[in-house]
Amino acid sequence: MNYIVLSHVAWEDYPYKRMLELLPDRGEVCYAGQLTPAQQLRCGIRPVTLPEIYSMKADEYTLLVSSPYWLPDVLALQPAYTVALLEYCPEGEDSKLWDKYSALLAAKADLVGTASERLYLEQNLRRSGVVYLSGDQPLSYGLLRREEVLYFLADYEAVWNRALIELWQPPRAPGEVPDWQDIQRRHRAEFYISMCGLMPQQPSVHYLAASYLYLCGDESAARYLARSFELMLLHDYTDCLHSHYRFFSAVETKKGNLELAVQQYEITAFTAGERARVALMKQWLDGGEAGQELLRAELYRVNEDGAAAVDILSRLPGREAREQLLLNYTGTSEWEKALRLYAELEAGETGGAENAALAGGAASGGGTGIVGSAVSVGSTGSAGSVGSAGNIIPAGGPAGLNDGQLPVMEGTLHLLYGRRHEAIRSFLRSAVADQGARQLFAEMADLEEAVQRVRGRAKGGEEQT
């Protein structure tokens, strides 16, 4: 396997050197930036400039990407696979911008890795194929020999190696959790269960045990969650209904107790929107098998388990399920899928053969990605362009999305695919007031500046602005 490393720091500060040593079936490894001759000799990695990367056959490489600002290049290069290495926002960067585009990078990636447990748990609730690049197990979980060097693998290092090997194997069924991910979740659950015995009065330890047991489908999650909630109240943390008690509704949903799950969610429903959602949940509860499947998906969604909701909704027929799926794609930052699905919904509603064909073309994943096809619905131009009437997003949108949300998604993807003028038109449509337009254009300028900064490290060493 061949790899290209796209980092946001110089080689001296790159935090994943050990992970590079453990790459399976390691062929050529290239680093976008500068390395001294001594560094090259020591690590066996070749430095490359950005123009050199674009001259390489990217479909023969896996990209290891640790900055969201490489996303335009990821989309342009179309590598064999993309591995997103997610990190907290570095000092000096705009955290909102970093987090937004990190989420989009993770949605695009074939595999996500992170050394942050918070990010690891968040990503587990959004998708499968997530590796935790840290651990607490002192034992060796395998050996790896590379030439004359023998590596003793920690638990997470063995998982990292296995996850990369499986990238090149036949794809799993949609929503299927790979064995290595289930093993790592169970390791984390066992660790926190042991910590509960050592720290019986710490609510966060019990909550983490409950979280991992929930992800493993273990019914004992309810017991650890109950203890965590009790300890929170004993410590006078009375604002834990949303953060702790609502989680019971997801646990009971996984156990199949939908009526109890709705009752538990209702206790946490304070706003008008949440109370309206409760009324809809009760309708679905009494709506037979189809309604109860929609209810299960919604209970997962309100608990931020988008991965479980998408798994259910992607198998359900009917427009209501598709609209709920659109909401979940939006929430998990899978915006390309969201826009494609919206185009399909609009094509089905209008019955237009041309629209349906274009939506189908978007689903096939052409060379320029979803925006290159789906946004052309209604346009007389070629795929990848937007004509004067070529916007798939009208002023309104499906229930649950505000008027400007879909055009912002459309414009953001235009920008990432290098279609700046189309992005501006989408942002103008999304802006209800002039202030909204200024905010979007300011973000666009910030993103372009950040992209140029990260690219500058791979352009012969001088930072470009």
Side-chain angles (χ1 to χ4, degrees):
M1 301 183 191
N2 300 318
Y3 301 89
I4 299 174
V5 179
L6 301 178
S7 175
H8 66 287
V9 294
W11 173 253
E12 292 80 0
D13 301 317
Y14 186 66
Y16 304 104
K17 294 185 180 74
R18 168 77 174 182
M19 297 295 106
L20 298 185
E21 293 176 355
L22 304 178
L23 294 171
D25 191 21
R26 175 172 150 161
E28 181 180 46
V29 181
C30 302
Y31 182 85
Q34 290 188 317
L35 280 79
T36 67
Q39 290 170 335
Q40 296 176 49
L41 183 62
R42 184 165 56 249
C43 64
I45 294 175
R46 179 168 71 93
V48 290
T49 64
L50 191 59
E52 286 178 308
I53 292 173
Y54 273 90
S55 69
M56 298 160 67
K57 294 181 179 179
D59 60 356
E60 297 178 359
Y61 289 81
T62 294
L63 298 187
L64 304 175
V65 188
S66 56
S67 168
Y69 304 137
W70 282 111
L71 188 50
D73 297 288
V74 172
L75 297 174
L77 288 166
Q78 298 183 44
Y81 297 99
T82 299
V83 179
L85 300 172
L86 300 185
E87 301 179 8
Y88 287 121
C89 180
E91 186 177 349
E93 295 282 359
D94 183 326
S95 61
K96 289 184 179 179
L97 196 71
W98 179 275
D99 292 344
K100 174 180 176 177
Y101 289 95
S102 289
L104 290 171
L105 173 63
K108 183 65 179 176
D110 302 287
L111 179 69
V112 175
T114 179
S116 159
E117 191 156 27
R118 180 181 68 80
L119 293 176
Y120 174 68
L121 281 168
E122 287 178 359
Q123 289 299 314
N124 267 273
L125 292 171
R126 294 185 177 187
R127 58 190 48 86
S128 63
V130 185
V131 185
Y132 181 44
L133 300 178
S134 186
D136 310 278
Q137 299 286 343
L139 303 176
S140 173
Y141 280 78
L143 299 173
L144 176 67
R145 180 182 294 277
R146 178 151 294 129
E147 297 177 349
E148 300 302 317
V149 181
L150 191 63
Y151 295 93
F152 291 86
L153 304 182
D155 58 333
Y156 66 92
E157 293 172 342
V159 169
W160 163 255
N161 185 272
R162 170 54 57 182
L164 286 168
I165 289 173
E166 291 191 7
L167 276 182
W168 298 82
Q169 295 178 355
R172 300 181 303 272
E176 180 183 351
V177 175
D179 292 341
W180 55 262
Q181 185 166 350
D182 186 58
I183 290 169
Q184 190 166 50
R185 288 173 175 178
R186 292 189 181 279
H187 279 167
R188 301 310 297 158
E190 290 166 3
F191 170 74
Y192 280 107
I193 289 171
S194 69
M195 292 299 293
C196 289
L198 296 173
M199 306 172 69
Q201 301 303 313
Q202 287 295 325
S204 59
V205 172
H206 289 77
Y207 188 85
L208 285 165
S211 299
Y212 283 112
L213 289 167
Y214 166 81
L215 289 170
C216 294
D218 192 317
E219 292 188 0
S220 64
R223 176 159 51 92
Y224 288 92
L225 179 59
R227 180 58 177 161
S228 177
F229 183 64
E230 175 187 342
L231 288 169
M232 290 289 285
L233 295 179
L234 287 174
H235 286 84
D236 294 326
Y237 294 120
T238 55
D239 58 345
C240 57
L241 277 180
H242 280 82
S243 61
H244 284 63
Y245 191 83
R246 181 173 288 185
F247 189 12
F248 282 111
S249 64
V251 172
E252 293 303 327
T253 299
K254 190 158 284 193
K255 292 163 64 176
N257 301 328
L258 294 182
E259 185 173 359
L260 176 58
V262 172
Q263 292 171 1
Q264 290 167 332
Y265 176 78
E266 186 173 13
I267 291 173
T268 71
F270 298 138
T271 68
E274 289 171 335
R275 290 193 294 271
R277 187 175 292 120
V278 170
L280 181 58
M281 287 180 175
K282 291 179 177 179
Q283 290 180 23
W284 281 335
L285 183 63
D286 297 328
E289 183 177 351
Q292 289 178 7
E293 286 295 283
L294 289 170
L295 173 58
R296 286 178 61 218
E298 181 64 5
L299 284 164
Y300 285 133
R301 187 182 76 85
V302 296
N303 281 282
E304 300 182 359
D305 191 349
V310 166
D311 182 47
I312 293 170
L313 294 168
S314 61
R315 293 183 272 108
L316 292 182
R319 185 175 181 88
E320 191 171 21
R322 307 303 281 174
E323 289 185 345
Q324 294 301 312
L325 182 58
L326 175 57
L327 287 176
N328 279 278
Y329 280 155
T330 303
T332 57
S333 299
E334 296 183 273
W335 291 359
E336 298 195 35
K337 291 181 180 178
L339 291 180
R340 178 175 63 205
L341 179 56
Y342 185 83
E344 292 171 354
L345 288 169
E346 288 297 288
E349 188 172 86
T350 60
E354 180 184 359
N355 283 4
L358 284 166
S364 68
T368 55
I370 175 63
V371 176
S373 302
V375 297
S376 300
V377 174
S379 171
T380 57
S382 60
S385 64
V386 179
S388 59
N391 305 316
I392 68 166
I393 310 301
L401 297 179
N402 62 46
D403 286 355
Q405 198 167 351
L406 284 165
V408 168
M409 291 159 51
E410 179 189 78
T412 300
L413 291 174
H414 270 313
L415 189 62
L416 290 171
Y417 278 101
R419 294 185 287 271
R420 195 172 190 276
H421 293 296
E422 288 88 340
I424 291 172
R425 285 199 288 268
S426 296
F427 290 154
L428 285 173
R429 290 202 316 281
S430 73
V432 178
D434 182 56
Q435 179 63 36
R438 285 200 297 269
Q439 181 178 346
L440 287 168
F441 294 147
E443 180 182 307
M444 183 170 71
D446 290 342
L447 175 64
E448 290 172 337
E449 180 182 346
V451 168
Q452 290 306 311
R453 268 201 319 271
V454 77
R455 284 175 174 170
R457 298 188 179 92
K459 291 182 178 178
E462 287 190 18
E463 188 167 312
Q464 307 289 317
T465 58

